[in-house]
Every structure is written in structure tokens, then in C-alpha cells.
């Protein structure tokens, strides 16, 4: 069973657009969906600023997640380029023992995509879904 840690941008995008293909992630068999209160709070702030009417949908999507928190560990050297604001995402994914961290944040996680850091394979949702086929 895959344990998928969802970055804030995944939560935001799925809630922002009710027809987003990212919503398929919530329907995948043999997966456990994970995130953190840090990621949920970021998604909530962004939805509230842009489409507050979508907050209830974000709450529904969030109810289907297992929330974990960042480990109080140093960031692995391989992720040293990750901005400070994104470190809690990777650390929470590592702490949850996620198999994958799914993100569409190419700006900050792009250089790490396709790499396994702290036991977590970082992929875009499209890359993950392609690998599942």
C-alpha cells in the first residue's frame, strides 16, 4: 500500500477546482492519504484569499487525510536547497513514513522530483499516476 503525503499545493488545487484531475488521488485504491496541519493551514490561507466559497470543500477533502507533523530532525543534506517554508512538508512526509510526497511545486521541489530523500520519493501527481499504470 502506498502512503501518499500531499503537499499544500495539492490540497489547494483539488479544493480550488472541483473538476481538478487531482481529485482522482482521493479515489485511488490501496493508498493512504497523509498531510500535515502545516500544509492544511497553507491551503486554507490561499483558498480563503482567492475562493473562500471553496473552504468547505477543502475541509471535506481534509477529513479524508491522516494528519502528521514534521519531525524535529535536521533536513537531509540532499534537500539543503529547499526553502525554509517547505522544509516542514518534507520533514512531515519523512516522519509519517510516507512512500511518496506528491507536489506540483516545481519552483521549490522541482530539483528534488524523482529523488528519494529520507525514504520518501518526491513526485508530481502525474509522475506518480504514470508509475502506477
Amino acid at each position: 500500500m502506498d502512503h501518499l503525503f500531499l503537499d499544500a499545493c495539492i490540497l489547494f488545487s483539488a479544493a480550488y477546482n472541483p473538476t481538478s484531475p487531482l481529485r482522482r488521488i482521493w479515489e485511488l485504491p490501496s493508498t493512504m492519504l497523509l498531510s500535515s496541519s502545516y500544509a492544511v493551514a497553507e491551503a486554507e490561507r490561499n483558498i480563503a484569499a482567492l475562493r473562500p466559497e471553496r473552504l468547505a470543500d477543502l475541509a471535506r477533502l481534509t477529513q479524508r487525510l491522516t494528519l502528521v507533523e514534521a519531525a524535529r530532525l535536521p533536513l537531509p543534506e540532499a534537500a539543503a536547497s529547499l526553502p525554509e517554508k517547505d522544509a516542514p512538508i518534507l520533514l512531515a512526509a519523512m516522519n509519517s513514513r510516507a512512500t511518496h510526497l506528491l507536489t506540483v511545486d516545481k519552483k521549490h521541489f522541482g530539483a528534488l522530483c524523482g529523488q528519494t530523500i529520507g525514504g520518501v520519493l518526491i513526485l508530481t501527481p502525474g509522475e506518480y499516476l504514470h508509475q502506477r499504470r
Side-chain angles (χ1 to χ4, degrees), residues 4-133:
L4 308 178
F5 189 93
L6 306 181
D7 190 6
C9 56
I10 302 290
L11 303 176
F12 170 84
S13 297
Y16 184 87
N17 179 1
T19 62
S20 171
L22 291 173
R23 286 181 172 255
R24 290 190 342 210
I25 294 168
W26 275 259
E27 300 167 6
L28 293 172
S30 302
T31 58
M32 174 182 276
L33 300 182
L34 308 160
S35 197
S36 66
S37 57
Y38 180 85
V40 171
E42 182 179 337
E44 285 174 342
R45 278 192 310 275
N46 293 329
I47 288 286
L50 297 171
R51 292 195 65 193
E53 71 278 8
R54 302 298 307 152
L55 281 168
D57 196 35
L58 177 61
R60 278 190 293 279
L61 292 169
T62 301
Q63 286 176 349
R64 298 179 55 202
L65 305 174
T66 298
L67 298 181
V68 295
E69 299 313 319
R72 297 199 183 271
L73 301 170
L75 200 59
E77 190 174 318
S81 65
L82 199 60
E84 189 176 324
K85 75 170 196 69
D86 291 310
I89 298 295
L90 178 57
L91 291 171
M94 291 168 48
N95 192 44
S96 71
R97 293 193 169 98
T99 55
H100 300 80
L101 165 59
L102 301 186
T103 184
V104 292
D105 183 356
K106 291 271 189 168
K107 180 177 180 182
H108 299 126
F109 282 97
L112 303 177
C113 277
Q115 294 185 49
T116 299
I117 299 176
V120 180
L121 177 57
I122 301 169
L123 295 174
T124 67
E127 291 166 336
Y128 173 77
L129 293 171
H130 180 74
Q131 285 185 359
R132 273 187 68 113
R133 287 190 212 140

